[in-house]
Amino acid sequence: MSENWNTKYGPRRVRRDPPTLDEAIFAAIGITDDQEAQAEIAASLMGMPVDAVTPEVKKIARTSARSSTRVIAGEQGAQRSVVVERRVVRKFGNDKRMGT
């Protein structure tokens, strides 16, 4: 799908591609946890009937339920965070400070 826009620099063609079904379902999952609402959102993004999208939403929900992440609670039920920092070591080639 493309569309022409008239700008002050002349006509410009703008390409519009609807999202794929997987992209629409991914966006709907990010908005809500309710599967029916996810199917409605994905269907409206795709321009498809809800009945066609609902089986795909349920299939993706089953696969994502198996691979959910788990948080291990520490003492007294508090969640623990681990922060990993990377120290950058810079090597200087021809630097007078290094004596080369």
Side-chain angles (χ1 to χ4, degrees):
M1 289 186 228
S2 64
E3 172 180 324
N4 291 334
W5 284 11
N6 290 322
T7 65
K8 65 181 181 179
Y9 302 109
R12 300 288 186 246
R13 285 183 46 183
V14 179
R15 183 176 171 181
R16 290 191 182 185
D17 292 329
T20 63
L21 185 57
D22 290 335
E23 291 171 342
I25 293 172
F26 181 78
I29 289 171
I31 295 171
T32 183
D33 292 331
D34 182 31
Q35 288 185 6
E36 292 177 14
Q38 290 173 359
E40 291 175 9
I41 292 168
S44 66
L45 288 172
M46 294 288 301
M48 295 175 64
V50 177
D51 298 336
V53 177
T54 303
E56 292 296 320
V57 170
K58 289 182 180 179
K59 183 170 68 172
I60 290 176
R62 278 192 303 255
T63 58
S64 67
R66 280 188 243 141
S67 64
S68 64
T69 59
R70 301 185 194 274
V71 176
I72 299 172
E75 296 177 22
Q76 301 170 352
Q79 294 180 358
R80 296 174 52 183
S81 299
V82 177
V83 177
V84 179
E85 294 181 0
R86 185 176 145 226
R87 191 177 89 181
V88 178
V89 178
R90 297 182 186 215
K91 295 181 181 180
F92 297 98
N94 285 334
D95 193 358
K96 293 181 181 179
R97 292 180 288 172
M98 299 288 290
T100 56

